[in-house]
Amino acid sequence: MSGGPGLRTLAELRVLLFWRRLRGRGRTAELVAMAALFLMAIPLGLLFAGFLGSASYRAVRAGAGLAVDLAAAALFFGVWQAWTAVGLALSEGDAFDLRRALAYPVPPGRMYLLGLLTGIAGDPFAAFWLLLLGGAFTGAAVGRFGPWLLPLLALFMAFAAATVTLVALGRELLARMARGRWFREAAVLAGVAGWGLLLWATRYPVRDWLPVARKVQWVLFPPALAAAAGRHLYGGRVLAALPYIAALLAAAVLCGWAAYRVALRTALSGGEEGRARAGAGGGWLARWLSARLGPLAEKELHYLARHPAIRVSALVVPAVAGLLAWKVLPQVPEEAGEVVRALPLFGVAAYVHLVLQVFWLNAFGWDGGGARALFLAPVAPGAVLAAKNGASMLAAALLFLLAGTVYVSAGVVPPAWALVAAAALHLGMAPWLHAAGNLISISNPRAAPFALQRNGSLPALSALAGMAITAGATGLFGVPVLAALHFESEWLLLGAWVALGAAGWLAWRWSLPRAGTLLQNRREALLAEVTGEVT
Amino acid sequence: MLAIETEGLTRHFDGKPAVERLDLRVPEGAFYGFLGPNGAGKSTTMKMLTGLLAPTAGRARILGHDLAADPVAVKRLIGSVPDGLALFERLTGAEQLRIQGQLYGLDRATAARRAGELLERLDLASAAGDTVADYSHGMKKRLALGCALIHGPQLLFLDEPFEGIDALAVGGIRQLLQELVASRALTVFLTSHVLEVVERLVSHVGIIHRGRLVLDGTLAEVRASGSLEETFLRAVGEERAAPAALSWLPGRTA
């Protein structure tokens, strides 16, 4: 049998299954939510595309010099680093498992290519990057219309292909290496250290570090080759750009081939190497706490301690907090007042909840068949929710403690009232978010992969609800900030947050048995979704 | 006393009956084999009896307790290995057993001690520190059985315990169950497709077909007119036309 018809059939199957998933029972709301999320992303995408288009236009008009160099470098390096980081950590695209393809009489290489292409088509993030490149291309076309736009289009396409295949290679390698404990964390730590190094370099004049950056840029070959070709094309030197475009295409093919070979090897080895291993130990802190908090909380703490998203967050969030204290806080003048100067710290206190939202919006997502045990055991459904919430709040509090410590260490030590207020804000928001999150977890659960990637962890409807809940809680806790600024009283802020937090704890306690009743009544639908079992 | 007693137990899915007016009586100390073809309603019945599914109509009494009125009291007395199992894949085998024991009211030390004994007995001691996700299907089945036994239940529900596991594991589980029932430690309610294994294990048999109980009695009563397989086929069998030959797979002559 030739590969063509088989490939077409499999492509059709993939589209059909995707459509069925969207059209399945109870999915209409999910479809509407997904459309709403796309609609919300489009204005942001258009805004950034407009920026890139404007920079591209100015570069074309300038033709040569620093403006062209900076525009080409910013365009390709900026898009590339964001695309790669999101692609490796947060991709929403459909995962493609080559193992499934091996059973069919279709060349697996073609299947892999098909998986890569359909993965891009189903990934809103990928659409976002392509929108940005589209903006840059439009800006260039407005700046100087002519046949030179064809090689520019080829450059953008080659750049996109090289980035996609490099991300695919990175994913395949990470999936293999993730079997080794702490590898992923080490990789994230290296990334954070790299960013720190870059920021540290910006302390020195551009002329000091630019020559070094020019030499090492080729390590990041997709943006480096693309920026070199872009500089020539913007300057009207089409022939000089062609070797770089060709090199970019060749690199894309090479990366794609390498990614395919790694994927094939993993698939032929049974795919075991691709599965992330959960460490046997949950950490001494988890063990110490779990021994004191009862079996339900112990189970939840073990799960959280072993979840890669928590481990990676423990590296990334403190780094973000440190960055805020190091680079943003010095920009806020002393005259702005203590409340304004404390806002970055308050932002960290709230941001931690946002980072961990999958755990309070899809609390049963990782339980799998174990969710049955929660209903078979003689425990009250409210106690199950309390344990899940308690563990999630504890994880958030520890993460905030870590981030806060880094924040304080990296910048000016905030006044005592600000530290207490940040803790009150963090602890006060938690019960409001978890009380509302319980309703979402019960009403719209989804079986989630035990992986770093968000894809599949949170249904679009839950993500939308999460935005509304977070916005509501931020608004609720934001009102005292405005009042404190108006009355110039930081103690008003602290008092209001403590009061809101206390009200939140009461509301959470009040909601638990009611949410437990809802959980008991919705157990069949929840188990069907979380265990993947159709009743 | 009856271990399980149902009256008109019914469950519909989207208006279609999966179990229809089921009247079941399982004596205490019995090893009850609940048989039926695929889709007959075995798992739905078991889910209703263990509280995972709510019945559309009817009632069930488990060990003298009304399941709808006092589900927590019932859950304390029963153990269950449901279809698809009820294991937390990211816990280790030892953690899974101990936490399960604690969920059923055992203190931590007792649960840990029993977990150790069960791991030895179920031949899982060498994998006690591995996460359940790394277990084979047979190991998971054995671990699930351990979870169902750790709190010393009076009634054990087993949904297809022998499905997908090798003969060695079947032998081990069978021996353990026979010992438990022989010592009158508990009542077992088991569903299975493997009639030969069931025939060697059970004391009572019920056959469900299209949601209705079509045969019920002791093994001796049920086998009075032939082997269990023959009785089963008679009870659920329907006249079917011989399947037509597949046109693209012609028979080959030597």
Side-chain angles (χ1 to χ4, degrees):
Chain A
M1 187 194 281
S2 73
L7 201 62
R8 271 203 299 277
T9 309
L10 287 164
E12 186 184 335
L13 177 67
R14 204 162 155 81
V15 171
L16 190 66
L17 290 175
F18 179 70
W19 181 244
R20 286 277 154 75
R21 207 174 65 195
L22 293 180
R23 294 280 299 158
R25 193 167 54 174
R27 297 288 186 197
T28 310
E30 194 68 20
L31 195 62
V32 172
M34 198 180 280
L37 285 175
F38 264 103
L39 284 174
M40 286 162 71
I42 285 172
L44 191 68
L46 286 175
L47 182 72
F48 279 103
F51 286 143
L52 290 183
S54 164
S56 191
Y57 171 83
R58 275 181 288 176
V60 169
R61 300 301 288 180
L66 197 61
V68 174
D69 286 3
L70 284 178
L75 166 64
F76 291 108
F77 278 92
V79 171
W80 182 83
Q81 67 89 12
W83 191 333
T84 307
V86 171
L88 287 177
L90 293 169
S91 173
E92 292 285 338
D94 271 353
F96 177 71
D97 188 350
L98 196 59
R99 272 179 300 172
R100 293 182 184 177
L102 295 179
Y104 299 103
V106 179
R110 293 190 193 184
M111 290 289 296
Y112 191 74
L113 187 63
L114 172 74
L116 220 52
L117 292 174
T118 52
I120 297 165
D123 185 355
F125 281 120
F128 185 77
W129 313 127
L130 295 178
L131 190 64
L132 298 191
L133 292 180
F137 183 78
T138 308
V142 172
R144 192 171 69 236
F145 195 80
W148 79 280
L149 290 172
L150 281 175
L152 186 70
L153 184 64
L155 167 64
F156 281 176
M157 289 172 71
F159 170 70
T163 305
V164 165
T165 52
L166 191 65
V167 167
L169 179 61
R171 275 183 184 170
E172 300 296 348
L173 290 173
L174 275 176
R176 281 179 74 92
M177 293 172 184
R179 293 284 293 173
R181 285 192 72 191
W182 304 111
F183 175 83
R184 180 179 16 221
E185 287 76 5
V188 172
L189 200 60
V192 169
W195 270 105
L197 194 68
L198 276 176
L199 287 167
W200 175 78
T202 57
R203 294 171 60 189
Y204 297 95
V206 175
R207 64 175 178 278
D208 286 356
W209 55 264
L210 201 57
V212 182
R214 278 195 174 135
K215 278 180 192 160
V216 299
Q217 68 164 336
W218 301 104
V219 176
L220 310 175
F221 66 86
L225 288 169
R231 278 195 296 274
H232 287 304
L233 285 174
Y234 284 146
R237 301 180 299 278
V238 172
L239 283 178
L242 291 180
Y244 291 104
I245 298 174
L248 201 54
L249 271 174
V253 171
L254 200 66
C255 276
W257 180 82
Y260 161 65
R261 294 302 301 177
V262 176
L264 185 64
R265 198 171 160 190
T266 305
L268 288 172
S269 71
E272 288 303 303
E273 287 161 297
R275 197 175 68 192
R277 178 188 287 275
W284 66 268
L285 188 61
R287 282 197 294 276
W288 185 82
L289 285 167
S290 63
R292 282 151 186 83
L293 294 176
L296 282 170
E298 174 171 5
K299 177 257 154 189
E300 297 303 333
L301 283 171
H302 277 307
Y303 259 57
L304 288 176
R306 287 164 189 171
H307 201 291
I310 294 278
R311 293 180 180 185
V312 170
S313 299
L315 296 170
V316 173
V317 175
V320 170
L323 181 70
L324 280 174
W326 182 26
K327 289 288 174 187
V328 176
L329 191 58
Q331 310 297 322
V332 184
E334 295 278 351
E335 312 80 71
E338 284 192 348
V339 173
V340 173
R341 282 183 61 77
L343 285 179
L345 179 61
F346 298 156
V348 173
Y351 178 64
V352 168
H353 290 304
L354 201 62
V355 168
L356 300 183
Q357 67 170 346
V358 287
F359 297 105
W360 50 268
L361 286 171
N362 191 21
F364 295 88
W366 291 269
D367 285 339
R372 294 188 189 97
L374 301 174
F375 297 99
L376 288 169
V379 290
V384 172
L385 290 170
K388 284 185 177 293
N389 290 173
S392 163
M393 288 180 198
L394 186 62
L398 290 174
L399 186 56
F400 173 58
L401 189 66
L402 193 62
T405 306
V406 173
Y407 182 95
V408 170
S409 312
V412 180
V413 178
W417 77 265
L419 291 173
V420 177
L425 172 65
H426 177 82
L427 296 174
M429 281 182 84
W432 291 104
L433 296 175
H434 283 78
N438 283 340
L439 301 180
I440 308 301
S441 292
I442 296 165
S443 310
N444 196 33
R446 168 164 305 174
F450 208 80
L452 182 61
Q453 277 89 353
R454 267 189 74 217
N455 56 329
S457 296
L458 208 56
L461 194 59
S462 298
L464 204 61
M467 281 182 197
I469 293 167
T470 310
T474 308
L476 185 68
F477 282 80
V479 172
V481 176
L482 298 177
L485 287 173
H486 181 76
F487 294 108
E488 295 181 351
S489 166
E490 57 269 17
W491 296 106
L492 177 68
L493 181 66
L494 180 57
W497 279 353
V498 168
L500 278 174
W505 284 100
L506 290 174
W508 178 71
R509 289 289 300 271
W510 176 84
S511 74
L512 271 182
R514 286 153 186 85
T517 306
L518 180 68
L519 176 61
Q520 180 68 14
N521 293 338
R522 293 232 350 124
R523 66 189 185 280
E524 292 175 28
L526 185 138
L527 285 176
E529 187 63 44
V530 171
T531 64
E533 178 190 73
V534 180
T535 51
Chain B
M1 189 170 78
L2 291 172
I4 303 170
E5 184 182 11
T6 69
E7 284 174 30
L9 199 66
T10 300
R11 173 66 201 210
H12 291 181
F13 290 114
D14 296 329
K16 293 176 190 164
V19 174
E20 190 78 354
R21 293 195 293 278
L22 186 73
D23 295 325
L24 203 59
R25 275 159 187 77
V26 178
E28 224 174 343
F31 200 133
Y32 193 93
F34 196 50
L35 312 178
N38 288 330
K42 301 186 299 292
S43 291
T44 302
T45 302
M46 190 171 278
K47 282 177 187 165
M48 283 195 283
L49 294 177
T50 54
L52 288 182
L53 278 183
T56 309
R59 55 194 287 271
R61 289 184 72 79
I62 307 288
L63 297 162
H65 296 269
D66 188 311
L67 181 59
D70 199 357
V72 173
V74 170
K75 287 174 184 181
R76 279 201 188 95
L77 301 173
I78 66 172
S80 176
V81 179
D83 183 29
L85 310 182
L87 299 173
F88 294 107
E89 300 255 324
R90 301 290 161 172
L91 296 180
T92 66
E95 286 168 353
Q96 177 84 51
L97 281 167
R98 178 176 52 73
I99 287 175
Q100 183 83 11
Q102 287 180 269
L103 284 177
Y104 280 80
L106 300 180
D107 64 71
R108 190 182 174 90
T110 308
R113 182 174 49 74
R114 290 190 189 180
E117 286 178 32
L118 278 165
L119 286 165
E120 286 289 343
R121 177 62 207 257
L122 295 166
D123 202 17
L124 292 169
S126 59
D130 295 345
T131 48
V132 177
D134 292 332
Y135 279 25
S136 69
H137 185 65
M139 291 165 80
K140 286 180 185 176
K141 282 254 175 181
R142 279 181 277 155
L143 184 68
L145 180 61
C147 287
L149 289 172
I150 193 162
H151 60 290
Q154 294 177 33
L155 171 59
L156 187 61
F157 287 95
L158 303 171
D159 200 353
E160 301 287 357
F162 307 117
E163 197 177 47
I165 56 174
D166 61 49
L168 206 62
V170 168
I173 292 176
R174 200 178 64 200
Q175 191 189 352
L176 177 62
L177 295 176
Q178 279 174 323
E179 283 173 20
L180 290 169
V181 174
S183 64
R184 300 195 66 79
L186 46 70
T187 307
V188 177
F189 183 89
L190 165 148
T191 74
S192 181
H193 288 110
V194 192
L195 295 181
E196 307 85 61
V197 177
V198 171
E199 196 163 14
R200 275 185 275 173
L201 270 176
V202 303
S203 60
H204 293 68
V205 173
I207 298 176
I208 187 172
H209 183 43
R210 295 184 173 172
R212 290 175 184 274
L213 193 67
V214 291
L215 200 84
D216 184 30
T218 64
L219 184 63
E221 288 167 356
V222 170
R223 280 200 307 200
S225 58
S227 70
L228 182 61
E229 186 177 351
E230 287 165 350
T231 311
F232 177 82
L233 289 174
R234 260 202 311 278
V236 305
E238 295 159 24
E239 290 299 320
R240 288 180 187 157
L246 300 173
S247 61
W248 68 94
L249 289 176
R252 291 204 177 97
T253 50

